[in-house]
Amino acid sequence: MNIAKLPLKNIISYKKRTIGLILILVILTMSLFGGSIFIKSLNNGLDSLNERLGADIIVLPKDAESEVDLQNLLLQGTPGYFYMDKSILNDLESIEGVDRISAQYFLVSANADCCSVKVQIIGFDEETDFTIKPWLNESYQGVLKDDEIIVGSMLSTKVGHTLKLYGKEFLVVGKLEKTGTGLDTAVYTTGDTVKTLIEAAEDKGISILSKQSPDDVISSVYIDVKDGYDIDTIVSDINLNNSEVKAVRARTMMTSTSDRLGIISSAISFFVKIIWAFAAIILIAAFYIITGERKKEFAALRVIGVSRKKLGVLVMSEAIIIGIIGSVFGIIITGAFMYSFSVLIGTRLDLPYLLPGVVTTTYYILVTFISVVLLGTISGLISAYRAVSVDTARILRE
Amino acid sequence: MTIDAKNILVSYTKNGKKDNTISIINSVDITIVPGKVTVIFGRSGSGKTTLISVLAGLLKPQEGSVLYDDIDLYQQNDDFISDFRSKNIGFIPQGQSLLSNLTIKENILLANNNGNDSDRAEELIELLGLSEREEYLSSQLSGGELRRCAIARALINQPSVVFADEPTGDLDDDNTQIVFELLRQKAKDGAAVVIVTHDESAYNYADIVYRMDGGVLALSDTQK
Ligand SMILES: Nc1ncnc2c1ncn2[C@@H]1O[C@H](COP(=O)(O)OP(=O)(O)OP(=O)(O)O)[C@@H](O)[C@H]1O
Ligand SMILES: [Mg+2]
């Protein structure tokens, strides 16, 4: 036994005290680390959605629902479909300033055997697509054949497995990167395949189109505008000249989401700050009170020749060790929770939610760790000051 | 080591008012010599604990000096005084002063400044009749056992000066005798031993006797 072993000994033997302090520190850690990860994941989700859309303008059928449907599809993964006449594609192609343009076809699966719920089927045009293929994650480089599909990252099927849609077997040849959005639960295939699926559905008596032929419709058009052209001008041009469709700026469509996200983020940062303010006060007060109750112990150490300096170091060491234990525990608990329940959190939120990568997470871990240990150290300093100013002679008489 | 305290004055200001000063130790001079047992008798509140706190470097007096041979204790900084106390002074406080989360043996070894002299600790534990209690936490002991443990702790570093404040306060006659014998033996081995007590039986072990009254120290007229 010696003085150097005393901090650890004290931490272990005064269990209630230690657990109480660690609990406060764990709460501090959880709020800061959890809050940061949560806010970052929301921002990541929105960024990834913006990036994934990859288009400046989206053209949809002009009815109130289709825009809402598309938003639900993107943000929550709620499957949906809508159609407009294919002829619009030619009109749009000829607009001055349009760089890339590609049509997509939407359909909802009847219960696919992969999944307990209906999945979104998105058909894209192999030749013109610029929004889906750049995100192919796995090896697939080729051209999709009629019976091949690509799946979003959240579907449980693997590359090489097959999936049945409207009675037809499809081979999964690729998987997309995770986006944290509704795009993760979709199945991707060619426009032609979607058309045959529509026919297959109608053969089964599921009516999807009222009168047109599947060959004459598309669901949406994605437009990439050339640099130097004003996106808003093109949007209003399209809307003026085509009564059947509605063009929206991709970014505008995201504004409401972005606003909601801003509100959630600031609410969370506010709560984190409140929790910190309270917990910090409680922590400092707890250390202060505990030190007061340990006067006899400090006096005893002074009697056997422990200097004020060493006494201060002893108290500081205890505070720092407890700070480290508390923040490490808090980080592990929060990390485990945030990473195991990220899907659930994302679903509950109805917002794109994408956890940060290793580098960002490590950064948050470090920031949290340093902040919490620092706060522990500050509380320790206050206690240490109290400990070193102990009036030994007076306490010995008590 | 000879301790030479001169003109020691300790006083407290009541309620922070300068004119409301009560003096606790009044111009005390005392010399403690090695190889002798010095006993200070005195009524409760006469200033005995205050005086030995000053002598042991635990309380800086308002006036006066405490010399250990040629070291003027209160001219040194806290690091020096603490280190000096650890190496040279065994102090047995009047009240309970053990760490309650440590065992008897750990409490004793905590004060040990030359490594973990387990043998020496065992020897003292044995001598003070604590063998059966050595692995007990100090919170599980009686007052008398705690007192004996504090004595063992004070003696672990073979100090050249020992201060014992009411060392037999809560001991029975047998243990009182053991403790006084032990302190007597320390003096024989060359240490300067100071015992503060009400217990008149200490008289039998004393070489030099002082009486303290109202902060004033005087050599007893019943010197041996
Ligand atoms: N810090 C202090 N503030 C005010 N009064 C004090 C202080 N320290 C000591 N005193 C007073 O000084 C006097 C002497 O106290 P001290 O503890 O030295 O007495 P003592 O002789 O050891 O008594 P006892 O035999 O009861 O232990 C007491 O009256 C006490 O109230
Ligand atoms: Mg006393």
Side-chain angles (χ1 to χ4, degrees), chain A residues 1 10 13 300 302 308-309, chain B residues 78-79 82 85 97 101 116:
Chain A
M1 191 24 82
N10 288 341
S13 43
R302 296 282 292 144
R308 292 188 194 281
K309 217 178 270 169
Chain B
D78 178 65
D79 284 349
S82 301
R85 182 160 56 242
S97 68
N101 60 328
N116 258 350

Side-chain angles (χ1 to χ4, degrees), chain B residues 127-129 148 171-184 205:
Chain B
L127 207 59
L128 288 156
R148 282 178 279 154
L171 299 184
D172 56 29
D173 290 349
D174 287 353
N175 277 306
T176 298
Q177 212 179 331
I178 291 172
V179 167
F180 282 147
E181 285 293 352
L182 186 61
L183 293 172
R184 166 87 262 168
Y205 301 87

Side-chain angles (χ1 to χ4, degrees), chain A residues 22 26 29-30 324-334:
Chain A
I22 286 180
V26 165
T29 312
M30 285 175 78
I324 292 172
I325 297 174
S327 63
V328 168
F329 261 120
I331 287 168
I332 292 171
I333 296 169
T334 315

Side-chain angles (χ1 to χ4, degrees), chain A residues 226-298:
Chain A
K226 274 186 199 151
D227 286 347
Y229 285 87
D230 182 43
I231 299 169
D232 288 324
T233 314
I234 296 176
V235 167
S236 42
D237 275 358
I238 297 172
N239 286 334
L240 270 176
N241 300 324
N242 301 280
S243 54
E244 307 285 289
V245 300
K246 185 181 183 204
V248 286
R249 225 187 134 146
R251 211 203 285 152
T252 315
M253 203 175 74
M254 290 303 131
T255 356
S256 68
T257 313
S258 179
D259 288 349
R260 247 175 89 198
L261 197 136
I263 294 168
I264 295 178
S265 298
S266 41
I268 289 171
S269 350
F270 177 73
F271 276 118
V272 170
K273 280 178 199 136
I274 295 273
I275 292 173
W276 263 71
F278 271 102
I281 291 168
I282 293 171
L283 189 72
I284 289 169
F287 265 107
Y288 189 80
I289 293 165
I290 289 166
T291 317
E293 285 176 352
R294 292 176 67 183
K295 275 188 182 158
K296 255 204 131 78
E297 186 184 333
F298 299 143

Side-chain angles (χ1 to χ4, degrees), chain A residues 161-210:
Chain A
H161 288 196
T162 58
L163 195 70
K164 220 180 226 171
L165 297 168
Y166 292 106
K168 195 167 180 244
E169 292 261 356
F170 288 88
L171 179 66
V172 178
V173 294
K175 207 161 193 178
L176 297 177
E177 274 173 23
K178 187 169 165 63
T179 64
T181 70
L183 296 169
D184 288 340
T185 50
V187 164
Y188 301 82
T189 182
T190 64
D192 289 338
T193 307
V194 174
K195 286 171 203 164
T196 54
L197 286 176
I198 295 176
E199 278 159 7
E202 299 203 321
D203 288 347
K204 289 193 166 184
I206 307 166
S207 153
I208 289 167
L209 288 165
S210 42

Side-chain angles (χ1 to χ4, degrees), chain A residues 394 397, chain B residues 12 24 43-50 94 198:
Chain A
R394 177 184 216 140
R397 288 190 319 107
Chain B
Y12 288 99
I24 313 283
R43 273 199 305 254
S44 180
S46 57
K48 306 183 294 295
T49 299
T50 307
Q94 185 168 12
H198 294 114

